[in-house]
Amino acid sequence: MTTKLRCIVADSYGELSQIGADAVEAAIKADPNVSVLVATGNTPMGLYQELARRRANGAFDASHVRVFQLDEYLGLEPEDRRSLFGWTRRSFVDPLGIPLENVTRLAPDAGDLEAACRAYDAAIKSAGGLDLAILGLGPNGHLGFNEPPADAHAPTRVVDLTIESIESNAQYWGGRDVVPRVAMTAGMDVILGARQTLLVVSGSHKRDVLERTVAGAVTPDVPASYLQLASDVIVLADRDAWGAMPQPR
Ligand code: F6R
């Protein structure tokens, strides 16, 4: 197996969360105004909890961090428990003491969704671009909700979720029937434009898609494989996800 990506294999999910927190803490300390694209999903939750613990202990100040939401379902009431904005807030924004005015939302309730997508992209541009993208890996290779096949230049937009994503997201909300079918996602162009990327991957169910991401062909069928072409990417996997691939150097 050869890969151009910098890969780190953690012994456990706990170690993955520590190493991930080290990377994000370092980014915040290097630039307190850092612009961060923030994934929800299960994988980064240990990392976020560890960051919150460190921040509560005074390790760093995140009050100037700027947060950009990665994706959002359409058709939910603002207070719906399934809102990914709500999840981003509960897991990252509030525990890190980041003021809400530092958060750029995707606006699924906007009258003009296309205009809302362009406003989101413009906000990233006026922030000087993204410094760091914290991403999880979809079971079908998606990043955010850039479902396969996805063009590398796909913009921020409204997307239909694939069956794989609906089934995978069913675990969050207790059944596939409660998973919304349509979402808004930061575009591949936004994600690939981040100056640094941290992709966190955990669990044996991600083995095949992780191998295709780091060592397979760069293809629209595995949107995460485009990371092979991005500039400063760390793939942080636990041993269960890394499987039998050779230990990275
Ligand atoms: C979440 C997101 C998704 C997840 C991915 C992996 O905001 O954009 O792309 O990162 O589906 O989810 P988990 O970590 O739950 O396996």
Side-chain angles (χ1 to χ4, degrees):
M1 194 258 334
T2 54
T3 180
K4 291 191 278 305
L5 290 164
R6 181 171 165 220
C7 300
I8 299 173
V9 184
D11 280 336
S12 63
Y13 178 71
E15 191 184 57
L16 175 151
S17 301
Q18 294 286 336
I19 296 170
D22 290 346
V24 179
E25 180 181 341
I28 295 172
K29 283 180 167 163
D31 176 6
N33 299 303
V34 66
S35 299
V36 189
L37 187 65
V38 175
T40 57
N42 288 331
T43 315
M45 291 304 129
L47 186 174
Y48 297 166
Q49 280 162 15
E50 175 57 18
L51 268 184
R53 192 190 65 75
R54 294 182 190 186
R55 179 253 170 190
N57 289 340
F60 61 91
D61 171 21
S63 62
H64 297 287
V65 169
R66 292 170 296 174
V67 170
F68 293 84
Q69 189 183 355
L70 175 59
D71 42 17
E72 184 58 279
Y73 299 120
L74 256 62
L76 302 182
E77 295 299 322
E79 297 310 316
D80 193 294
R81 68 188 173 93
R82 294 167 293 171
S83 147
L84 297 182
F85 174 70
W87 196 357
T88 305
R89 212 180 146 177
R90 288 190 300 278
S91 63
F92 193 89
V93 173
D94 292 348
L96 293 185
I98 300 170
L100 270 188
E101 64 258 30
N102 291 12
V103 182
T104 299
R105 299 182 64 163
L106 287 160
D109 48 354
D112 183 341
L113 294 171
E114 172 62 21
C117 291
R118 301 290 66 81
Y120 173 89
D121 287 348
I124 291 180
K125 202 170 172 195
S126 73
L130 292 169
D131 297 305
L132 174 64
I134 307 172
L135 304 173
L137 177 62
N140 59 358
H142 74 206
L143 295 177
F145 278 136
N146 288 281
E147 302 282 51
D151 190 275
H153 303 289
T156 299
R157 67 204 182 286
V158 172
V159 289
D160 291 322
L161 299 193
T162 59
I163 293 298
E164 289 97 324
S165 291
I166 291 167
E167 278 171 358
S168 152
N169 289 16
Q171 63 183 310
Y172 310 145
W173 320 116
R176 54 187 282 179
D177 292 345
V178 287
V179 179
R181 290 339 197 212
V182 187
M184 203 182 243
T185 184
M188 284 306 305
D189 56 353
V190 166
I191 292 173
L192 296 174
R195 284 183 273 278
Q196 192 188 6
T197 299
L198 179 64
L199 178 72
V200 286
V201 192
S202 171
S204 55
H205 61 299
K206 297 280 178 75
R207 271 185 202 173
D208 287 351
V209 71
L210 177 59
E211 182 159 4
R212 287 190 290 143
T213 296
V214 301
V218 176
T219 165
D221 296 331
V222 184
S225 66
Y226 290 125
L227 292 175
Q228 294 180 36
L229 309 176
S231 53
D232 182 357
V233 180
I234 298 175
V235 177
L236 175 55
D238 63 14
R239 203 159 286 291
D240 285 348
W242 192 258
M245 286 195 282
Q247 187 73 14
R249 275 179 279 170

